[in-house]
Amino acid sequence: MALANHTAILPRRAADGRYDLVVLANRLPVDHATDDDGRPCWRRSPGGLVTALHPIMKRRAGAWIGWHGRSGPAPTPFVHDGIHLHPIALTDDDVAGYYEGQSNATIWPLYHDAVEPPSFDRSWQEHYRAVNRRFAEAAARVAAPGALVWVHDYHLQLVPGMLRDLRPDLRIGFFLHIPFPPVELFCQMPMREEIMRGLLGADLVGFQHAQGTRNFRMLAADLAGAKVTDGGIWYEGRDVVAETFPISIDVAEQQRLAADPAVRARAAEIRRELGDPRTVMLAVDRLDYTKGIECRLRAYGELLAQGRLDPAETVMVQVAVPTRQQIDQYQALRERVEREVSRINGDHAGIGRVCVHYLHQSFDRAELAALYLAADVMAVTPLRDGMNLVAKEYAATRADGTGALVLSEFAGAAAELGEAWLVNPHDVDALKDAFADAAAADAAEQRRRMEPMRAHLRRHDVNAWATGFLNQLDRAPSGCASSASRARHVARAGDGARPHPVQCACRVGGSSSAEARGARSRTSHLAAGTRPIG
Ligand code: ADP
Ligand code: G6P
């Protein structure tokens, strides 16, 4: 099945009720919620992963396997908004061990440059394995013969290997939505060889940024004994392709919202409600310690204190979407952020005039688009971020080319949106300069920067991202690699494309799993807390 364009990959539902395209992600695209009348309903789940995949899955009759957001038995499979949803059950212990523990207290901080120290707990690892197996078994049940199965994100890194053992006929893709860390950090992970073997079970492994792809190739050689050449990765008799696929947004939807008279009217109303200030600064993040909210507030507070921004003419709106509220680090962050917001308002606000509007809430996409239209300066300053879709949404919404985007160098989006005011988010003085410059920029300067970013996004929307990934996955030989593939690989290596002389801190010369286990004990000297840029 050759895939020329995305219309060619509209999946069929196989006659036996199984699917030609199956997506696995920790979360279903919907969460439990209650409507205005207090009745239970489904509401779209937060985060960039769902934002990216939702429009694609809506157009294709594929199946989405994921968690429905509560512990206890799983609802029976159902269709929502045209997507076939297959819920996975998690017990209370699974939620604590697999989701809050191994996924969000170990892997999440470790993969984000350890901006908060990762915690390690052996019991969490058991839950991580068990839940990954549950996902793999569910996919094995619903995937049609030869189906494309697309596994997403850091919660499910063991699934590709497990699924390959269960269903070698499938073509398996994996995409990591967050950064893949530098070798020195990854090697802190107690399950590091197992995770590498899990990921190498895929035919195609995708990353947001070229640096993540490079990190993965090095680790494939060092920890899993894969043969890494310029041509690809050869692992246990199969080709594995690792490539960079920067994720994007539904540009057409964003443009439609931006043109909607109701959204435009709401944007004008927001500005009025804010007191018609000269400058509206906006930030929209999950309330996550990777997002750099504290440094950003500190910079804004100092600009007000020094009179570089006038509190009578400037307003900041910080939307902080509730997230992972059971995890200690998130609770502590919320307290710190709320204290800083109160401090800034206490120092600089007046009666009926607030300096920081802090909204710990979720909004629908129309309200978010209205906020983007209302904002003169958009502050996207994460300490580390796989991509950051908010930055792309802001640029795509600004149809008249105005608006100033201040963007962290440590967000994946910086590789594509280089015309933004790029800034080191750890450097409060640099943040202050960037905010002040952006607030002072005239419309011509804003357009000079915004137009190329908008043109880039029109060419690289979420549809192009998904099509690129799925077309590449579709080219993978299904099942075990043929002898032709092996011959090709050997020929490539013999053609002067020698296996990479990959060197990394974990490398101990050998590559069997016993040797890799040895590597674990021999890397204990690695400095904890090293933060190389990855
Ligand atoms: P992350 O994936 O870490 O949450 P991203 O910026 O990549 O960060 O993606 C966040 C997504 O969540 C964006 O598509 C954004 O529009 C959406 N979003 C942000 N804030 C809200 C909110 N208050 N309510 C609903 N969705 C939101
Ligand atoms: C990021 C992750 C997603 C995750 C989302 C929301 O975007 O990459 O996998 O779904 O954050 O986090 P949550 O823990 O609420 O699912």
Side-chain angles (χ1 to χ4, degrees):
M1 176 169 65
L3 299 176
N5 58 48
H6 66 266
T7 51
I9 42 182
L10 283 172
R12 299 172 309 277
R13 181 104 186 255
D16 61 1
R18 292 189 289 172
Y19 300 85
D20 286 335
L21 174 65
V22 179
V23 158
L24 289 86
N26 171 59
R27 271 191 191 279
L28 288 176
V30 290
D31 263 344
H32 292 274
T34 42
D35 65 18
D36 293 343
D37 301 323
R39 284 181 307 232
C41 64
W42 295 105
R43 180 192 55 198
R44 184 154 150 182
S45 344
L49 184 155
V50 167
T51 304
L53 285 178
H54 192 267
I56 295 149
M57 291 305 280
K58 238 177 113 164
R59 280 198 301 275
R60 300 167 186 180
W64 184 316
I65 297 173
W67 177 43
H68 54 104
R70 286 196 183 157
S71 58
T76 47
F78 61 102
V79 179
H80 180 89
D81 218 3
I83 308 178
H84 297 253
L85 305 178
H86 291 252
I88 292 283
L90 296 188
T91 64
D92 285 339
D93 286 349
D94 291 332
V95 174
Y98 149 79
Y99 172 69
E100 292 167 0
Q102 185 68 15
S103 297
N104 284 316
T106 303
I107 300 172
W108 177 270
L110 190 64
Y111 283 28
H112 285 89
D113 282 2
V115 294
E116 284 275 324
S119 309
F120 302 104
D121 183 318
R122 277 171 289 176
S123 71
W124 297 346
Q125 297 170 23
E126 278 314 311
H127 286 286
Y128 189 80
R129 282 186 196 102
V131 174
N132 272 248
R133 180 156 299 287
R134 205 170 303 154
F135 272 83
E137 286 169 354
R141 275 196 301 277
V142 304
L148 300 187
V149 178
W150 195 0
V151 185
H152 289 265
D153 230 355
Y154 59 100
H155 317 80
L156 301 179
Q157 294 174 97
L158 303 181
V159 167
M162 290 172 169
L163 186 55
R164 180 160 303 284
D165 289 343
L166 293 168
R167 288 285 305 273
D169 60 299
L170 300 175
R171 266 160 299 191
I172 304 171
F174 180 90
F175 185 78
L176 186 68
H177 291 250
I178 68 174
F180 192 72
V183 171
E184 297 88 322
L185 279 175
F186 187 84
C187 284
Q188 292 182 19
M189 176 77 75
M191 297 174 72
R192 61 193 189 186
E193 291 87 5
E194 198 177 343
I195 287 178
M196 286 308 296
R197 289 197 297 273
L199 293 172
L200 285 163
D203 297 291
L204 175 61
V205 188
F207 299 94
Q208 299 274 31
H209 195 278
Q211 188 61 55
T213 310
R214 282 195 287 275
N215 294 341
F216 177 78
R217 286 165 55 88
M218 279 191 209
L219 285 158
D222 283 12
L223 293 180
K227 184 170 284 190
V228 179
T229 70
D230 289 342
I233 299 172
W234 179 251
Y235 178 68
E236 293 194 337
R238 294 183 300 114
D239 279 318
V240 178
V241 175
E243 258 189 51
T244 310
F245 296 89
I247 201 169
S248 196
I249 55 165
D250 189 342
V251 173
E253 192 214 6
Q254 222 53 47
Q255 287 174 338
R256 189 184 54 71
L257 285 168
D260 184 332
V263 172
R264 302 190 72 76
R266 175 66 189 136
E269 185 181 37
I270 289 172
R271 285 195 76 100
R272 275 196 304 279
E273 287 173 353
L274 292 173
D276 277 326
R278 198 174 80 82
T279 307
V280 175
M281 275 180 65
L282 173 68
V284 175
D285 315 270
R286 279 182 309 99
L287 185 42
D288 194 296
Y289 50 79
T290 59
K291 300 293 183 181
I293 300 171
E294 292 173 276
C295 288
R296 181 190 307 151
L297 288 172
R298 202 168 309 134
Y300 179 62
E302 288 186 18
L303 285 171
L304 295 178
Q306 293 169 347
R308 290 176 68 188
L309 291 180
D310 181 349
E313 292 191 334
T314 315
V315 167
M316 176 184 255
V317 178
Q318 172 68 64
V319 176
V321 185
T323 187
R324 307 177 194 166
Q325 296 181 82
Q326 302 309 315
I327 301 174
D328 292 347
Q329 287 161 319
Y330 287 77
Q331 291 168 4
L333 172 72
R334 181 175 176 186
E335 281 170 23
R336 293 196 303 272
V337 165
E338 293 182 354
R339 200 176 316 127
E340 185 65 15
V341 169
S342 305
R343 200 184 60 74
I344 295 172
N345 281 330
D347 288 349
H348 304 292
I351 301 289
R353 180 176 56 72
V354 172
C355 296
V356 184
H357 289 258
Y358 168 77
L359 304 169
H360 186 240
Q361 299 161 27
S362 276
F363 294 111
D364 64 25
R365 303 202 64 70
E367 181 73 0
L368 268 183
L371 280 165
Y372 293 146
L373 284 177
D376 305 294
V377 177
M378 181 82 216
V380 180
T381 56
L383 304 179
R384 169 59 81 194
D385 210 328
M387 175 54 63
N388 198 290
L389 296 184
V390 165
K392 292 188 169 183
E393 287 169 3
Y394 179 69
T397 308
R398 305 294 305 197
D400 68 357
T402 63
L405 175 63
V406 177
L407 179 59
S408 163
E409 293 165 5
F410 294 83
E416 296 170 84
L417 305 182
E419 292 82 7
W421 276 261
L422 293 181
V423 66
N424 172 1
H426 299 270
D427 182 344
V428 175
D429 288 328
L431 277 173
K432 285 163 62 181
D433 290 344
F435 291 156
D437 285 356
D442 61 18
E445 167 74 349
Q446 292 177 2
R447 287 201 177 92
R448 187 184 65 71
R449 290 170 177 264
M450 192 60 89
E451 287 301 354
M453 296 194 279
R454 289 175 48 76
H456 173 87
L457 290 172
R458 283 194 292 273
R459 289 191 306 274
H460 299 94
D461 69 354
V462 73
N463 211 27
W465 168 75
T467 305
F469 189 97
L470 289 172
N471 282 351
Q472 172 85 38
L473 178 57
D474 196 58
R475 286 195 287 273
S478 73
C480 295
S482 63
S483 51
S485 168
R486 171 186 288 274
R488 222 175 44 240
H489 193 91
V490 169
R492 273 200 302 256
D495 278 353
R498 287 177 295 115
H500 268 192
V502 184
Q503 293 294 340
C504 81
C506 302
R507 188 166 182 83
V508 289
S511 54
S512 70
S513 51
E515 285 163 324
R517 273 193 299 280
R520 181 169 41 208
S521 59
R522 270 171 284 199
T523 52
S524 53
H525 64 280
L526 283 170
T530 32
R531 287 194 198 157
I533 296 172

